[in-house]
Amino acid sequence: TSDDSSTPATTNHRFVGAWRVTFDTPMGPSQSLLTVMADGTVLFSGRPVSPAAGPNPTTFSSAAHGAWEATGPDTAATTWIGLVTDVDGNFLAVVTDSVEATLDESGDAWRGQYSASVADPNGNVLYVGGSTVEATRITVQPLATPAATPASA
């Protein structure tokens, strides 16, 4: 292994954690979840079922798996890959997303740019796009207080 001290180690990097992510997409904002792990891997979950354009009115997406690396003390790059099927389970596409992000001063939010590419099962590119993305850290929350219930008669 090389000793490249110019790139921060991932084990103590402030990107490590769970995030609620909002992508700016051509169809409007899209909510997702991202877990960035200290070993350099990521897990991404978008909507598991989506309406789609074209011949498939509904598509299903797997959780996506990928890798990330620190590019500076407050910056990181990540890429993950997910699979898409139709309602019958037929393999339709591979989605590859890449993000370059910068943490804010609090370390509990970040924003940046993303690119998305979609390829058919044979690797033919069907779509390439991208825009902006932002995220907030998921933190431990206190137990929710139940809503008041009507008095019993």
Side-chain angles (χ1 to χ4, degrees):
T1 62
S2 65
D3 181 21
D4 182 3
S5 59
S6 64
T7 302
T10 58
T11 53
N12 295 319
H13 204 279
R14 296 187 314 150
F15 271 98
V16 171
W19 301 92
R20 184 174 180 161
V21 182
T22 303
F23 291 89
D24 180 25
T25 75
M27 293 145 310
S30 177
Q31 299 287 317
S32 303
L33 302 172
L34 175 67
T35 301
V36 177
M37 291 171 266
D39 68 355
T41 59
V42 296
L43 287 176
F44 173 84
S45 298
R47 293 182 355 190
V49 181
S50 300
N56 299 298
T58 304
T59 59
F60 297 83
S61 299
S62 70
H65 300 259
W68 78 280
E69 62 186 20
T71 55
D74 295 321
T75 58
T78 185
T79 297
W80 56 80
I81 298 172
L83 308 175
V84 180
T85 68
D86 67 13
V87 69
D88 295 319
N90 296 308
F91 182 33
L92 299 177
V94 176
V95 178
T96 303
D97 292 332
S98 293
V99 172
E100 292 181 357
T102 301
L103 278 166
D104 72 4
E105 289 183 17
S106 74
D108 289 331
W110 54 260
R111 52 184 7 175
Q113 298 291 312
Y114 80 91
S115 67
S117 66
V118 179
D120 70 16
N122 295 320
N124 301 306
V125 176
L126 304 172
Y127 171 83
V128 174
S131 189
T132 59
V133 59
E134 58 186 38
T136 56
R137 188 179 297 278
I138 298 172
T139 60
V140 175
Q141 302 293 307
L143 292 175
T145 304
T149 57
S152 50

Short mmCIF file of all heavy atoms in Angstrom, two decimals, residues 3-79:
data_model
loop_
_atom_site.label_atom_id
_atom_site.label_comp_id
_atom_site.label_asym_id
_atom_site.label_seq_id
_atom_site.Cartn_x
_atom_site.Cartn_y
_atom_site.Cartn_z
N ASP A 3 1.59 5.36 0.93
CA ASP A 3 1.32 6.30 2.00
C ASP A 3 1.08 7.67 1.38
O ASP A 3 1.97 8.49 1.30
CB ASP A 3 2.50 6.34 2.99
CG ASP A 3 2.22 7.30 4.14
OD1 ASP A 3 1.04 7.59 4.39
OD2 ASP A 3 3.19 7.74 4.78
N ASP A 4 -0.16 7.88 0.91
CA ASP A 4 -0.51 9.15 0.27
C ASP A 4 -1.24 10.00 1.30
O ASP A 4 -2.43 9.87 1.50
CB ASP A 4 -1.38 8.89 -0.95
CG ASP A 4 -1.75 10.18 -1.69
OD1 ASP A 4 -1.28 11.26 -1.27
OD2 ASP A 4 -2.51 10.09 -2.65
N SER A 5 -0.50 10.88 1.98
CA SER A 5 -1.10 11.67 3.05
C SER A 5 -1.92 12.84 2.52
O SER A 5 -2.55 13.55 3.30
CB SER A 5 0.00 12.18 3.99
OG SER A 5 0.93 12.96 3.26
N SER A 6 -1.97 13.04 1.20
CA SER A 6 -2.76 14.15 0.67
C SER A 6 -4.26 13.83 0.63
O SER A 6 -5.07 14.73 0.56
CB SER A 6 -2.28 14.52 -0.74
OG SER A 6 -2.51 13.44 -1.63
N THR A 7 -4.64 12.56 0.67
CA THR A 7 -6.04 12.17 0.68
C THR A 7 -6.39 11.68 2.08
O THR A 7 -5.79 10.74 2.56
CB THR A 7 -6.32 11.06 -0.35
OG1 THR A 7 -5.93 11.54 -1.63
CG2 THR A 7 -7.77 10.68 -0.36
N PRO A 8 -7.38 12.31 2.74
CA PRO A 8 -7.74 11.90 4.10
C PRO A 8 -8.22 10.45 4.14
O PRO A 8 -8.85 9.98 3.21
CB PRO A 8 -8.89 12.84 4.48
CG PRO A 8 -8.76 13.99 3.53
CD PRO A 8 -8.15 13.45 2.29
N ALA A 9 -7.91 9.76 5.22
CA ALA A 9 -8.38 8.39 5.41
C ALA A 9 -9.90 8.41 5.57
O ALA A 9 -10.46 9.36 6.10
CB ALA A 9 -7.72 7.79 6.65
N THR A 10 -10.56 7.35 5.12
CA THR A 10 -12.02 7.32 5.22
C THR A 10 -12.50 6.94 6.61
O THR A 10 -13.61 7.26 6.98
CB THR A 10 -12.61 6.32 4.20
OG1 THR A 10 -12.06 5.03 4.44
CG2 THR A 10 -12.34 6.77 2.79
N THR A 11 -11.69 6.26 7.41
CA THR A 11 -12.18 5.74 8.69
C THR A 11 -12.67 6.83 9.63
O THR A 11 -13.62 6.61 10.38
CB THR A 11 -11.10 4.90 9.40
OG1 THR A 11 -9.91 5.69 9.50
CG2 THR A 11 -10.84 3.62 8.68
N ASN A 12 -12.08 7.99 9.63
CA ASN A 12 -12.52 9.05 10.52
C ASN A 12 -13.13 10.23 9.77
O ASN A 12 -13.29 11.30 10.32
CB ASN A 12 -11.34 9.56 11.36
CG ASN A 12 -10.84 8.48 12.30
OD1 ASN A 12 -11.63 7.75 12.89
ND2 ASN A 12 -9.54 8.36 12.41
N HIS A 13 -13.44 10.04 8.51
CA HIS A 13 -13.94 11.14 7.70
C HIS A 13 -15.37 11.49 8.11
O HIS A 13 -16.17 10.62 8.47
CB HIS A 13 -13.91 10.77 6.22
CG HIS A 13 -13.86 11.97 5.33
ND1 HIS A 13 -14.99 12.68 5.01
CD2 HIS A 13 -12.84 12.58 4.72
CE1 HIS A 13 -14.66 13.69 4.22
NE2 HIS A 13 -13.34 13.64 4.02
N ARG A 14 -15.71 12.77 8.04
CA ARG A 14 -17.03 13.24 8.47
C ARG A 14 -18.16 12.83 7.53
O ARG A 14 -19.32 12.99 7.88
CB ARG A 14 -17.02 14.76 8.66
CG ARG A 14 -16.07 15.17 9.78
CD ARG A 14 -16.14 16.64 10.14
NE ARG A 14 -16.12 17.52 8.99
CZ ARG A 14 -16.73 18.71 8.95
NH1 ARG A 14 -17.39 19.17 9.98
NH2 ARG A 14 -16.66 19.45 7.87
N PHE A 15 -17.86 12.28 6.37
CA PHE A 15 -18.92 11.79 5.49
C PHE A 15 -19.49 10.46 5.98
O PHE A 15 -20.59 10.09 5.60
CB PHE A 15 -18.41 11.61 4.06
CG PHE A 15 -18.55 12.85 3.23
CD1 PHE A 15 -17.47 13.69 3.06
CD2 PHE A 15 -19.75 13.19 2.64
CE1 PHE A 15 -17.58 14.85 2.30
CE2 PHE A 15 -19.87 14.34 1.89
CZ PHE A 15 -18.79 15.17 1.72
N VAL A 16 -18.75 9.74 6.81
CA VAL A 16 -19.23 8.45 7.30
C VAL A 16 -20.52 8.67 8.08
O VAL A 16 -20.61 9.54 8.94
CB VAL A 16 -18.16 7.76 8.18
CG1 VAL A 16 -18.72 6.52 8.86
CG2 VAL A 16 -16.94 7.40 7.34
N GLY A 17 -21.55 7.89 7.75
CA GLY A 17 -22.83 8.00 8.42
C GLY A 17 -23.98 7.72 7.48
O GLY A 17 -23.79 7.30 6.33
N ALA A 18 -25.20 7.97 7.97
CA ALA A 18 -26.41 7.75 7.20
C ALA A 18 -26.98 9.11 6.79
O ALA A 18 -26.98 10.05 7.59
CB ALA A 18 -27.42 6.97 8.01
N TRP A 19 -27.49 9.20 5.57
CA TRP A 19 -27.92 10.47 4.99
C TRP A 19 -29.27 10.35 4.31
O TRP A 19 -29.56 9.33 3.66
CB TRP A 19 -26.90 10.93 3.95
CG TRP A 19 -25.53 11.12 4.50
CD1 TRP A 19 -24.52 10.18 4.55
CD2 TRP A 19 -25.00 12.29 5.11
NE1 TRP A 19 -23.42 10.71 5.14
CE2 TRP A 19 -23.68 12.02 5.50
CE3 TRP A 19 -25.53 13.56 5.35
CZ2 TRP A 19 -22.88 12.95 6.11
CZ3 TRP A 19 -24.73 14.50 5.97
CH2 TRP A 19 -23.41 14.20 6.35
N ARG A 20 -30.07 11.40 4.43
CA ARG A 20 -31.29 11.55 3.63
C ARG A 20 -30.92 12.47 2.47
O ARG A 20 -30.48 13.60 2.68
CB ARG A 20 -32.40 12.17 4.46
CG ARG A 20 -33.69 12.25 3.72
CD ARG A 20 -34.80 12.73 4.61
NE ARG A 20 -36.02 12.77 3.83
CZ ARG A 20 -37.20 12.79 4.34
NH1 ARG A 20 -37.36 12.77 5.65
NH2 ARG A 20 -38.27 12.83 3.56
N VAL A 21 -31.09 11.97 1.25
CA VAL A 21 -30.56 12.63 0.07
C VAL A 21 -31.71 13.11 -0.83
O VAL A 21 -32.69 12.38 -1.03
CB VAL A 21 -29.65 11.66 -0.72
CG1 VAL A 21 -29.06 12.33 -1.94
CG2 VAL A 21 -28.57 11.09 0.18
N THR A 22 -31.58 14.31 -1.37
CA THR A 22 -32.55 14.85 -2.32
C THR A 22 -31.83 15.20 -3.62
O THR A 22 -30.92 16.03 -3.62
CB THR A 22 -33.25 16.11 -1.77
OG1 THR A 22 -33.87 15.78 -0.52
CG2 THR A 22 -34.30 16.62 -2.74
N PHE A 23 -32.24 14.54 -4.69
CA PHE A 23 -31.70 14.80 -6.02
C PHE A 23 -32.64 15.73 -6.77
O PHE A 23 -33.86 15.56 -6.70
CB PHE A 23 -31.58 13.51 -6.83
CG PHE A 23 -30.56 12.56 -6.33
CD1 PHE A 23 -30.88 11.61 -5.37
CD2 PHE A 23 -29.26 12.61 -6.81
CE1 PHE A 23 -29.93 10.73 -4.91
CE2 PHE A 23 -28.30 11.73 -6.35
CZ PHE A 23 -28.63 10.79 -5.40
N ASP A 24 -32.10 16.69 -7.50
CA ASP A 24 -32.87 17.50 -8.42
C ASP A 24 -32.90 16.72 -9.73
O ASP A 24 -31.85 16.51 -10.35
CB ASP A 24 -32.21 18.87 -8.60
CG ASP A 24 -32.96 19.77 -9.55
OD1 ASP A 24 -34.18 19.58 -9.71
OD2 ASP A 24 -32.33 20.66 -10.15
N THR A 25 -34.08 16.25 -10.15
CA THR A 25 -34.19 15.43 -11.35
C THR A 25 -35.14 16.10 -12.35
O THR A 25 -35.91 16.99 -11.98
CB THR A 25 -34.73 14.02 -11.04
OG1 THR A 25 -36.14 14.11 -10.79
CG2 THR A 25 -34.02 13.39 -9.85
N PRO A 26 -35.13 15.65 -13.61
CA PRO A 26 -36.06 16.21 -14.59
C PRO A 26 -37.54 16.04 -14.20
O PRO A 26 -38.39 16.77 -14.64
CB PRO A 26 -35.75 15.43 -15.88
CG PRO A 26 -34.35 14.96 -15.70
CD PRO A 26 -34.18 14.73 -14.22
N MET A 27 -37.83 15.07 -13.33
CA MET A 27 -39.20 14.82 -12.89
C MET A 27 -39.50 15.46 -11.55
O MET A 27 -40.53 15.19 -10.95
CB MET A 27 -39.46 13.31 -12.84
CG MET A 27 -39.42 12.70 -14.22
SD MET A 27 -38.75 11.02 -14.36
CE MET A 27 -37.22 11.07 -13.51
N GLY A 28 -38.58 16.28 -11.04
CA GLY A 28 -38.76 16.92 -9.75
C GLY A 28 -37.85 16.32 -8.70
O GLY A 28 -37.08 15.39 -8.98
N PRO A 29 -37.91 16.83 -7.46
CA PRO A 29 -37.04 16.32 -6.40
C PRO A 29 -37.29 14.83 -6.13
O PRO A 29 -38.42 14.36 -6.18
CB PRO A 29 -37.43 17.15 -5.18
CG PRO A 29 -38.12 18.35 -5.73
CD PRO A 29 -38.76 17.92 -7.02
N SER A 30 -36.22 14.11 -5.87
CA SER A 30 -36.30 12.68 -5.59
C SER A 30 -35.61 12.39 -4.27
O SER A 30 -34.45 12.76 -4.09
CB SER A 30 -35.64 11.90 -6.73
OG SER A 30 -35.64 10.52 -6.45
N GLN A 31 -36.31 11.74 -3.36
CA GLN A 31 -35.78 11.40 -2.04
C GLN A 31 -35.14 10.02 -2.05
O GLN A 31 -35.69 9.09 -2.65
CB GLN A 31 -36.90 11.42 -0.99
CG GLN A 31 -37.57 12.75 -0.84
CD GLN A 31 -36.68 13.74 -0.12
OE1 GLN A 31 -36.04 13.41 0.86
NE2 GLN A 31 -36.62 14.94 -0.63
N SER A 32 -33.99 9.90 -1.36
CA SER A 32 -33.28 8.63 -1.27
C SER A 32 -32.56 8.54 0.06
O SER A 32 -32.51 9.52 0.81
CB SER A 32 -32.25 8.52 -2.40
OG SER A 32 -32.86 8.66 -3.65
N LEU A 33 -32.00 7.38 0.33
CA LEU A 33 -31.20 7.15 1.53
C LEU A 33 -29.82 6.64 1.11
O LEU A 33 -29.70 5.85 0.17
CB LEU A 33 -31.87 6.12 2.44
CG LEU A 33 -33.28 6.48 2.91
CD1 LEU A 33 -33.90 5.31 3.64
CD2 LEU A 33 -33.25 7.73 3.78
N LEU A 34 -28.79 7.09 1.83
CA LEU A 34 -27.42 6.71 1.52
C LEU A 34 -26.68 6.45 2.83
O LEU A 34 -26.76 7.25 3.75
CB LEU A 34 -26.72 7.85 0.76
CG LEU A 34 -25.24 7.68 0.44
CD1 LEU A 34 -25.03 6.55 -0.57
CD2 LEU A 34 -24.67 8.98 -0.09
N THR A 35 -25.98 5.32 2.90
CA THR A 35 -25.12 5.02 4.04
C THR A 35 -23.69 4.95 3.55
O THR A 35 -23.37 4.18 2.64
CB THR A 35 -25.53 3.70 4.73
OG1 THR A 35 -26.89 3.81 5.15
CG2 THR A 35 -24.65 3.42 5.93
N VAL A 36 -22.85 5.80 4.14
CA VAL A 36 -21.43 5.90 3.79
C VAL A 36 -20.64 5.23 4.92
O VAL A 36 -20.71 5.67 6.07
CB VAL A 36 -21.02 7.38 3.63
CG1 VAL A 36 -19.55 7.51 3.34
CG2 VAL A 36 -21.85 8.05 2.54
N MET A 37 -19.92 4.16 4.60
CA MET A 37 -19.23 3.38 5.63
C MET A 37 -17.73 3.67 5.65
O MET A 37 -17.15 4.04 4.63
CB MET A 37 -19.53 1.91 5.41
CG MET A 37 -21.00 1.62 5.74
SD MET A 37 -21.53 -0.02 5.28
CE MET A 37 -22.20 0.32 3.65
N ALA A 38 -17.15 3.48 6.81
CA ALA A 38 -15.74 3.80 7.02
C ALA A 38 -14.80 2.96 6.17
O ALA A 38 -13.67 3.37 5.91
CB ALA A 38 -15.39 3.65 8.50
N ASP A 39 -15.26 1.80 5.69
CA ASP A 39 -14.38 0.93 4.88
C ASP A 39 -14.35 1.34 3.42
O ASP A 39 -13.74 0.66 2.60
CB ASP A 39 -14.79 -0.53 5.03
CG ASP A 39 -16.14 -0.85 4.42
OD1 ASP A 39 -16.84 0.07 3.94
OD2 ASP A 39 -16.52 -2.04 4.41
N GLY A 40 -15.04 2.44 3.05
CA GLY A 40 -15.01 2.91 1.67
C GLY A 40 -16.17 2.41 0.82
O GLY A 40 -16.20 2.65 -0.38
N THR A 41 -17.15 1.71 1.43
CA THR A 41 -18.30 1.24 0.69
C THR A 41 -19.52 2.12 0.99
O THR A 41 -19.55 2.83 1.99
CB THR A 41 -18.64 -0.22 1.01
OG1 THR A 41 -18.90 -0.34 2.41
CG2 THR A 41 -17.50 -1.14 0.62
N VAL A 42 -20.50 2.07 0.09
CA VAL A 42 -21.76 2.78 0.29
C VAL A 42 -22.93 1.87 -0.06
O VAL A 42 -22.80 0.96 -0.89
CB VAL A 42 -21.86 4.07 -0.56
CG1 VAL A 42 -20.81 5.08 -0.17
CG2 VAL A 42 -21.81 3.79 -2.04
N LEU A 43 -24.07 2.12 0.59
CA LEU A 43 -25.34 1.50 0.23
C LEU A 43 -26.31 2.62 -0.04
O LEU A 43 -26.41 3.58 0.74
CB LEU A 43 -25.87 0.62 1.36
CG LEU A 43 -25.14 -0.69 1.59
CD1 LEU A 43 -25.71 -1.41 2.81
CD2 LEU A 43 -25.25 -1.57 0.36
N PHE A 44 -27.05 2.51 -1.14
CA PHE A 44 -27.98 3.54 -1.57
C PHE A 44 -29.34 2.90 -1.79
O PHE A 44 -29.45 1.82 -2.37
CB PHE A 44 -27.49 4.15 -2.89
CG PHE A 44 -28.46 5.11 -3.51
CD1 PHE A 44 -28.51 6.43 -3.12
CD2 PHE A 44 -29.33 4.67 -4.50
CE1 PHE A 44 -29.41 7.32 -3.69
CE2 PHE A 44 -30.24 5.55 -5.08
CZ PHE A 44 -30.27 6.87 -4.68
N SER A 45 -30.39 3.58 -1.32
CA SER A 45 -31.75 3.11 -1.54
C SER A 45 -32.59 4.27 -2.06
O SER A 45 -32.76 5.27 -1.37
CB SER A 45 -32.39 2.61 -0.23
OG SER A 45 -31.67 1.53 0.28
N GLY A 46 -33.07 4.12 -3.28
CA GLY A 46 -34.03 5.05 -3.83
C GLY A 46 -35.41 4.46 -3.67
O GLY A 46 -35.61 3.50 -2.91
N ARG A 47 -36.37 4.99 -4.39
CA ARG A 47 -37.71 4.41 -4.35
C ARG A 47 -37.65 3.02 -4.97
O ARG A 47 -37.16 2.86 -6.08
CB ARG A 47 -38.69 5.28 -5.12
CG ARG A 47 -38.91 6.60 -4.46
CD ARG A 47 -39.90 7.50 -5.14
NE ARG A 47 -40.43 7.06 -6.40
CZ ARG A 47 -41.15 7.81 -7.20
NH1 ARG A 47 -41.42 9.06 -6.86
NH2 ARG A 47 -41.61 7.36 -8.34
N PRO A 48 -38.15 1.99 -4.27
CA PRO A 48 -38.06 0.64 -4.81
C PRO A 48 -38.99 0.40 -6.00
O PRO A 48 -38.73 -0.45 -6.83
CB PRO A 48 -38.42 -0.26 -3.64
CG PRO A 48 -39.17 0.61 -2.70
CD PRO A 48 -38.68 2.01 -2.91
N VAL A 49 -40.09 1.16 -6.08
CA VAL A 49 -41.04 1.03 -7.18
C VAL A 49 -41.27 2.42 -7.74
O VAL A 49 -41.50 3.36 -7.00
CB VAL A 49 -42.38 0.43 -6.69
CG1 VAL A 49 -43.36 0.28 -7.84
CG2 VAL A 49 -42.17 -0.89 -5.99
N SER A 50 -41.20 2.53 -9.08
CA SER A 50 -41.35 3.84 -9.72
C SER A 50 -42.21 3.74 -10.96
O SER A 50 -42.10 2.77 -11.71
CB SER A 50 -39.98 4.39 -10.14
OG SER A 50 -39.14 4.53 -9.04
N PRO A 51 -43.02 4.78 -11.19
CA PRO A 51 -43.65 4.86 -12.51
C PRO A 51 -42.57 5.21 -13.52
O PRO A 51 -41.61 5.89 -13.18
CB PRO A 51 -44.66 6.00 -12.36
CG PRO A 51 -44.14 6.81 -11.22
CD PRO A 51 -43.36 5.88 -10.34
N ALA A 52 -42.69 4.72 -14.72
CA ALA A 52 -41.64 4.97 -15.71
C ALA A 52 -42.24 5.42 -17.03
O ALA A 52 -43.40 5.13 -17.32
CB ALA A 52 -40.81 3.70 -15.92
N ALA A 53 -41.44 6.10 -17.79
CA ALA A 53 -41.84 6.47 -19.15
C ALA A 53 -41.57 5.29 -20.07
O ALA A 53 -40.79 4.39 -19.74
CB ALA A 53 -41.04 7.69 -19.59
N GLY A 54 -42.19 5.27 -21.20
CA GLY A 54 -41.93 4.21 -22.16
C GLY A 54 -42.84 3.02 -21.97
O GLY A 54 -43.92 3.12 -21.40
N PRO A 55 -42.39 1.86 -22.42
CA PRO A 55 -43.27 0.68 -22.46
C PRO A 55 -43.52 0.05 -21.08
O PRO A 55 -44.42 -0.77 -20.95
CB PRO A 55 -42.51 -0.28 -23.37
CG PRO A 55 -41.08 0.08 -23.18
CD PRO A 55 -41.08 1.58 -23.00
N ASN A 56 -42.74 0.39 -20.06
CA ASN A 56 -42.91 -0.22 -18.75
C ASN A 56 -43.55 0.78 -17.79
O ASN A 56 -42.89 1.69 -17.32
CB ASN A 56 -41.54 -0.67 -18.20
CG ASN A 56 -40.90 -1.69 -19.10
OD1 ASN A 56 -41.44 -2.77 -19.30
ND2 ASN A 56 -39.77 -1.33 -19.70
N PRO A 57 -44.85 0.60 -17.50
CA PRO A 57 -45.52 1.57 -16.64
C PRO A 57 -44.99 1.57 -15.21
O PRO A 57 -45.11 2.56 -14.52
CB PRO A 57 -46.99 1.13 -16.70
CG PRO A 57 -46.95 -0.30 -17.09
CD PRO A 57 -45.72 -0.48 -17.93
N THR A 58 -44.40 0.48 -14.76
CA THR A 58 -43.86 0.38 -13.42
C THR A 58 -42.51 -0.32 -13.46
O THR A 58 -42.37 -1.33 -14.16
CB THR A 58 -44.80 -0.42 -12.49
OG1 THR A 58 -46.10 0.19 -12.53
CG2 THR A 58 -44.30 -0.45 -11.07
N THR A 59 -41.54 0.22 -12.75
CA THR A 59 -40.24 -0.45 -12.64
C THR A 59 -39.87 -0.63 -11.18
O THR A 59 -40.35 0.09 -10.30
CB THR A 59 -39.13 0.33 -13.37
OG1 THR A 59 -39.05 1.63 -12.80
CG2 THR A 59 -39.39 0.42 -14.85
N PHE A 60 -39.02 -1.58 -10.93
CA PHE A 60 -38.54 -1.90 -9.58
C PHE A 60 -37.04 -1.75 -9.56
O PHE A 60 -36.36 -2.21 -10.48
CB PHE A 60 -38.95 -3.33 -9.20
CG PHE A 60 -40.44 -3.52 -9.14
CD1 PHE A 60 -41.17 -3.77 -10.29
CD2 PHE A 60 -41.10 -3.41 -7.93
CE1 PHE A 60 -42.55 -3.92 -10.25
CE2 PHE A 60 -42.47 -3.57 -7.87
CZ PHE A 60 -43.20 -3.82 -9.03
N SER A 61 -36.52 -1.15 -8.50
CA SER A 61 -35.07 -0.91 -8.38
C SER A 61 -34.51 -1.63 -7.17
O SER A 61 -35.12 -1.61 -6.09
CB SER A 61 -34.79 0.59 -8.24
OG SER A 61 -35.26 1.28 -9.38
N SER A 62 -33.34 -2.20 -7.33
CA SER A 62 -32.64 -2.83 -6.22
C SER A 62 -32.00 -1.76 -5.35
O SER A 62 -31.88 -0.60 -5.75
CB SER A 62 -31.53 -3.75 -6.74
OG SER A 62 -30.47 -2.98 -7.30
N ALA A 63 -31.58 -2.14 -4.16
CA ALA A 63 -30.65 -1.29 -3.42
C ALA A 63 -29.39 -1.21 -4.28
O ALA A 63 -29.09 -2.13 -5.05
CB ALA A 63 -30.34 -1.88 -2.06
N ALA A 64 -28.68 -0.11 -4.18
CA ALA A 64 -27.46 0.04 -4.98
C ALA A 64 -26.25 -0.08 -4.06
O ALA A 64 -26.31 0.27 -2.88
CB ALA A 64 -27.46 1.38 -5.69
N HIS A 65 -25.17 -0.58 -4.62
CA HIS A 65 -23.93 -0.78 -3.88
C HIS A 65 -22.82 -0.01 -4.58
O HIS A 65 -22.83 0.12 -5.81
CB HIS A 65 -23.58 -2.27 -3.84
CG HIS A 65 -24.64 -3.09 -3.19
ND1 HIS A 65 -24.53 -3.53 -1.90
CD2 HIS A 65 -25.83 -3.53 -3.65
CE1 HIS A 65 -25.62 -4.21 -1.58
NE2 HIS A 65 -26.42 -4.23 -2.63
N GLY A 66 -21.86 0.48 -3.79
CA GLY A 66 -20.78 1.22 -4.41
C GLY A 66 -19.64 1.51 -3.48
O GLY A 66 -19.48 0.88 -2.42
N ALA A 67 -18.85 2.50 -3.89
CA ALA A 67 -17.64 2.87 -3.16
C ALA A 67 -17.56 4.39 -3.07
O ALA A 67 -18.17 5.10 -3.87
CB ALA A 67 -16.41 2.33 -3.88
N TRP A 68 -16.79 4.86 -2.09
CA TRP A 68 -16.56 6.29 -1.96
C TRP A 68 -15.13 6.52 -1.53
O TRP A 68 -14.47 5.60 -1.02
CB TRP A 68 -17.54 6.92 -0.97
CG TRP A 68 -17.19 6.68 0.48
CD1 TRP A 68 -17.42 5.54 1.19
CD2 TRP A 68 -16.56 7.59 1.36
NE1 TRP A 68 -16.96 5.69 2.47
CE2 TRP A 68 -16.42 6.94 2.61
CE3 TRP A 68 -16.08 8.89 1.22
CZ2 TRP A 68 -15.84 7.56 3.71
CZ3 TRP A 68 -15.50 9.49 2.33
CH2 TRP A 68 -15.39 8.83 3.55
N GLU A 69 -14.67 7.75 -1.75
CA GLU A 69 -13.35 8.12 -1.27
C GLU A 69 -13.35 9.60 -0.90
O GLU A 69 -14.06 10.41 -1.52
CB GLU A 69 -12.28 7.83 -2.31
CG GLU A 69 -12.43 8.59 -3.60
CD GLU A 69 -11.43 8.15 -4.65
OE1 GLU A 69 -10.87 7.04 -4.55
OE2 GLU A 69 -11.19 8.93 -5.59
N ALA A 70 -12.59 9.91 0.12
CA ALA A 70 -12.39 11.30 0.50
C ALA A 70 -11.51 11.95 -0.55
O ALA A 70 -10.52 11.38 -0.99
CB ALA A 70 -11.72 11.37 1.87
N THR A 71 -11.89 13.15 -0.96
CA THR A 71 -11.09 13.90 -1.92
C THR A 71 -10.46 15.12 -1.27
O THR A 71 -9.71 15.85 -1.91
CB THR A 71 -11.94 14.32 -3.13
OG1 THR A 71 -13.07 15.05 -2.68
CG2 THR A 71 -12.40 13.09 -3.92
N GLY A 72 -10.79 15.33 0.00
CA GLY A 72 -10.27 16.44 0.79
C GLY A 72 -10.88 16.35 2.17
O GLY A 72 -11.67 15.45 2.45
N PRO A 73 -10.54 17.27 3.08
CA PRO A 73 -11.08 17.21 4.44
C PRO A 73 -12.60 17.32 4.49
O PRO A 73 -13.24 16.73 5.36
CB PRO A 73 -10.44 18.39 5.15
CG PRO A 73 -9.33 18.84 4.28
CD PRO A 73 -9.61 18.37 2.90
N ASP A 74 -13.21 18.06 3.56
CA ASP A 74 -14.65 18.26 3.55
C ASP A 74 -15.29 17.89 2.22
O ASP A 74 -16.40 18.32 1.91
CB ASP A 74 -14.98 19.72 3.88
CG ASP A 74 -14.56 20.08 5.29
OD1 ASP A 74 -14.73 19.25 6.20
OD2 ASP A 74 -14.05 21.20 5.49
N THR A 75 -14.59 17.09 1.41
CA THR A 75 -15.11 16.70 0.10
C THR A 75 -14.95 15.20 -0.10
O THR A 75 -14.06 14.57 0.48
CB THR A 75 -14.41 17.45 -1.04
OG1 THR A 75 -13.00 17.19 -0.97
CG2 THR A 75 -14.66 18.96 -0.96
N ALA A 76 -15.85 14.66 -0.92
CA ALA A 76 -15.81 13.23 -1.21
C ALA A 76 -16.42 12.97 -2.57
O ALA A 76 -17.19 13.79 -3.09
CB ALA A 76 -16.55 12.43 -0.14
N ALA A 77 -16.09 11.83 -3.15
CA ALA A 77 -16.68 11.35 -4.39
C ALA A 77 -17.18 9.94 -4.15
O ALA A 77 -16.57 9.17 -3.40
CB ALA A 77 -15.65 11.38 -5.52
N THR A 78 -18.31 9.61 -4.76
CA THR A 78 -18.88 8.28 -4.59
C THR A 78 -19.55 7.83 -5.88
O THR A 78 -20.02 8.66 -6.67
CB THR A 78 -19.87 8.23 -3.41
OG1 THR A 78 -20.32 6.91 -3.21
CG2 THR A 78 -21.05 9.14 -3.63
N THR A 79 -19.59 6.51 -6.08
CA THR A 79 -20.31 5.91 -7.21
C THR A 79 -21.00 4.67 -6.70
O THR A 79 -20.44 3.90 -5.91
CB THR A 79 -19.33 5.53 -8.34
OG1 THR A 79 -18.71 6.72 -8.83
CG2 THR A 79 -20.05 4.83 -9.48
#
